[in-house]
């Protein structure tokens, strides 16, 4: 069953707010920009993570140095899951942020 438009936007908004909170609470020099449903995370070394909503597909997309990833929301686990690897968003972010910024973050619950 596909997500309704309203539920999809609520989920993405909540996810992006959680991400902003996690990055804001860190001691790293990170710039956050949120505009028109796109959240951009800029690390001190110049690398970025870009989270965007793809409304027609009901997916959350992530662009990182290591590539582009598409996530579907799994109602059963209440998590965003990569449509290719089935890795949870939080698990993937822990690895990607470590690779890009050399920092450890806990993205438990994403």
């Amino acid at each position: 069953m596909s997500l309704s438009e309203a539920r999809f936007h609520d989920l993405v908004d909540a996810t992006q707010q959680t991400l902003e909170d996690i990055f804001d609470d860190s001691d790293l020099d990170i710039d956050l920009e949120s505009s028109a449903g796109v959240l951009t995370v800029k690390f001190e070394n110049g690398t970025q993570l870009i989270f965007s909503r793809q409304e027609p597909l009901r997916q959350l997309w992530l662009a990182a140095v290591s590539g582009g990833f598409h996530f579907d929301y799994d109602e059963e686990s209440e998590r965003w899951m990569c449509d290719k690897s089935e890795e949870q968003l939080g698990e993937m972010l822990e690895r990607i942020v470590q690779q890009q910024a050399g920092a450890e973050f806990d993205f438990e619950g994403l």
Side-chain angles (χ1 to χ4, degrees):
M1 182 172 91
S2 182
L3 294 172
S4 71
E5 182 177 341
R7 174 114 169 98
F8 170 73
H9 286 292
D10 288 346
L11 288 167
V12 173
D13 290 344
T15 300
Q16 288 184 341
Q17 185 59 57
T18 299
L19 289 166
E20 286 185 51
D21 293 344
I22 290 169
F23 287 117
D24 275 341
D25 290 344
S26 79
D27 293 333
L28 296 179
D29 184 15
I30 298 173
D31 290 327
L32 300 172
E33 293 177 16
S34 184
S35 176
V38 177
L39 173 64
T40 304
V41 180
K42 296 180 182 178
F43 297 106
E44 192 172 9
N45 64 8
T47 65
Q48 301 181 83
L49 298 176
I50 301 170
F51 299 89
S52 61
R53 65 186 75 209
Q54 298 301 316
E55 186 176 328
L57 301 172
R58 302 292 196 265
Q59 289 184 324
L60 175 64
W61 286 9
L62 166 62
V65 170
S66 57
F69 306 94
H70 303 164
F71 295 86
D72 294 308
Y73 191 76
D74 180 63
E75 291 282 2
E76 188 175 319
S77 67
E78 298 183 338
R79 300 283 187 266
W80 290 100
M81 306 293 286
C82 181
D83 68 351
K84 297 278 191 251
S85 69
E86 296 186 12
E87 187 175 10
Q88 291 181 3
L89 175 62
E91 293 171 352
M92 186 178 286
L93 282 174
E94 287 177 11
R95 180 172 39 81
I96 288 174
V97 170
Q98 175 64 39
Q99 291 169 346
Q100 281 191 218
E104 291 189 21
F105 280 83
D106 182 4
F107 293 101
E108 179 91 21
L110 280 182

